[in-house]
Amino acid sequence: KDFVFNISETDTVLVKEIKRGIDQKDLEKLASSIVDTLSGEHYIKATVGIGTPIANVKDLAASFKEAQVAMEVGKVFDTEQAIISYDNLGIARLIYQLPTTLCEMFLREVFKQGSIESLDNETLFTIQRFFENNLNVSETSRGLFVHRNTLVYRLEKIKKLTGLDLREFDDAIVFKVALMVKKYLSANPAKY
C-alpha cells in the first residue's frame, strides 16, 4: 500500500503505510535507511521531509504540505540534515511563518543600525560555538583553542557592537532568534 511518484525531475514523493502507534524515532530510522540506500547503492544525495502521520487519505495533502515545509525550513535553517521532520522544527517553523515585514522590524529593533553586518565570520563562528556550549565561557574557549580572556574580550566586543551581552540568558535568546530571522530573510522569502 505504499506509493512512489515523481513531482519534478528532482523531487520524489513516498507515501508510506505505517503501523499505528509507530513513534517519531522509528520514522526517522526508516527515513535514514532510505537516504543511506539511495546514497550507497545509487549515489543519490537525498533529503527527506517527514509530515505528520495520518489516519485518513483525506488528510494526505496536509501531511504532504508539512513535509514540503519541513524541507524548506531545513534548507534555510539546517542545511546539513538529510532528514527533517515537521514535528521537530521548533522555533524555525515559527520564524518561517512570520511575515518578512515583521522580521525586518524585529531586526531593526534588536540591532543598532548595521551592527549585525559588522560582525565578521570569526565572530559569528565564536558566537555559534558559545551557543553550542550552552553559554559556558570555559568550555567555549577550550573548544576554540583560545585563552578564556580572549573569549571574554570577543564577547565584550559583541556587546559594544550590538548592545547584547551574550553571557546573559535573555540577551543570548534574543541574539539567537535574531540570527535565525536574519538567516530566514537572507533566503529571500516572499515579501508580505
Side-chain angles (χ1 to χ4, degrees):
K1 295 183 181 178
D2 297 341
F3 298 94
V4 177
F5 50 94
N6 292 330
I7 56 173
S8 73
E9 282 187 31
T10 58
D11 297 330
T12 301
V13 175
L14 166 63
V15 178
K16 177 91 178 124
E17 182 180 22
I18 57 174
K19 296 176 186 154
R20 286 200 185 275
I22 192 169
D23 69 352
Q24 190 66 30
K25 285 185 180 177
D26 290 332
L27 282 176
E28 290 176 8
K29 282 181 189 175
L30 175 64
S32 180
S33 69
I34 291 169
V35 168
D36 292 345
T37 300
L38 288 171
S39 175
E41 295 180 19
H42 304 286
Y43 306 105
I44 297 171
K45 184 182 183 301
T47 304
V48 176
I50 302 174
T52 304
I54 58 167
N56 300 315
V57 175
K58 65 182 174 111
D59 298 326
L60 184 60
S63 182
F64 172 73
K65 184 64 179 165
E66 289 173 353
Q68 281 184 311
V69 167
M71 291 187 61
E72 289 174 25
V73 170
K75 284 178 192 171
V76 173
F77 295 107
D78 199 355
T79 55
E80 300 300 313
Q81 282 201 339
I83 300 161
I84 305 118
S85 177
Y86 184 78
D87 291 340
N88 293 333
L89 294 176
I91 197 166
R93 175 181 26 202
L94 181 66
I95 292 170
Y96 186 79
Q97 293 174 349
L98 291 174
T100 54
T101 52
L102 188 61
C103 290
E104 290 164 351
M105 188 170 63
F106 173 73
L107 286 179
R108 280 192 304 273
E109 179 183 316
V110 170
F111 294 110
K112 297 172 186 161
Q113 193 64 30
S115 63
I116 193 165
E117 284 78 17
S118 65
L119 300 175
D120 59 24
N121 285 336
E122 181 186 30
T123 304
L124 291 171
F125 182 76
T126 299
I127 292 166
Q128 182 67 32
R129 291 294 174 260
F130 189 60
F131 288 153
E132 288 172 4
N133 286 296
N134 296 314
L135 312 181
N136 185 315
V137 174
S138 298
E139 286 295 316
T140 305
S141 62
R142 270 194 292 280
L144 291 172
F145 304 105
V146 297
H147 193 277
R148 187 180 192 284
N149 291 345
T150 302
L151 179 59
V152 170
Y153 171 77
R154 289 180 187 174
L155 293 172
E156 285 296 324
K157 181 178 149 188
I158 293 164
K159 183 179 177 183
K160 284 180 185 171
L161 287 170
T162 66
L164 296 170
D165 186 353
L166 299 186
R167 294 167 291 188
E168 298 291 327
F169 182 72
D170 287 347
D171 285 356
I173 288 174
V174 169
F175 195 93
K176 176 74 172 174
V177 170
L179 283 178
M180 292 178 76
V181 168
K182 177 99 171 97
K183 200 172 199 180
Y184 166 61
L185 290 175
S186 297
N188 295 321
K191 294 271 186 193
Y192 64 98

